[in-house]
Amino acid sequence: MLGAVEEELIGYFSGQLQRFRTAVAPQGTPFQQRVWQELCEIPYGQTISYSELARRIASRPVDAVLTTEKAAIQEEVRAAAQKVLNDYRSGVILA
């Protein structure tokens, strides 16, 4: 499974893959599941603010979900991937 994830990350960073295919099943409350699902709906190459996320799910305690360990790791990976992709597209050489 790690090989498939690695291939997807390479494809994502090179711009050849816009949506991950590897299935994940994060465990959480119905509210956490709702927040994570909304995060998955953010189109490739776009970002939204926490307040926009809260507006989309019509709820305020989004920070509580995003600071749980699993969600925080997922969000950090997503943000890091987006930064690397943006740097790659703008010609920044990564060392």
Side-chain angles (χ1 to χ4, degrees), residues 5-81:
V5 171
E6 182 180 5
E7 288 178 21
E8 287 189 23
L9 286 170
I10 290 168
Y12 184 84
F13 290 133
S14 69
Q16 297 174 346
L17 180 68
Q18 295 185 3
R19 190 164 186 91
F20 293 100
R21 296 180 292 260
T22 302
V24 293
Q27 302 296 308
T29 67
F31 177 73
Q32 289 171 321
Q33 294 287 332
R34 190 169 171 204
V35 171
W36 294 328
Q37 179 60 41
E38 191 60 44
L39 287 173
C40 290
E41 298 301 319
I42 300 169
Y44 177 78
Q46 295 184 17
T47 61
I48 64 170
S49 66
Y50 287 136
S51 61
E52 173 62 15
L53 179 60
R55 187 195 64 74
R56 289 183 182 189
I57 62 171
S59 185
R60 292 289 180 204
V62 172
D63 287 337
V65 173
L66 293 177
T67 57
T68 64
E69 185 176 331
K70 290 178 185 177
I73 291 169
Q74 291 170 349
E75 182 59 22
E76 287 176 27
V77 169
R78 179 183 175 85

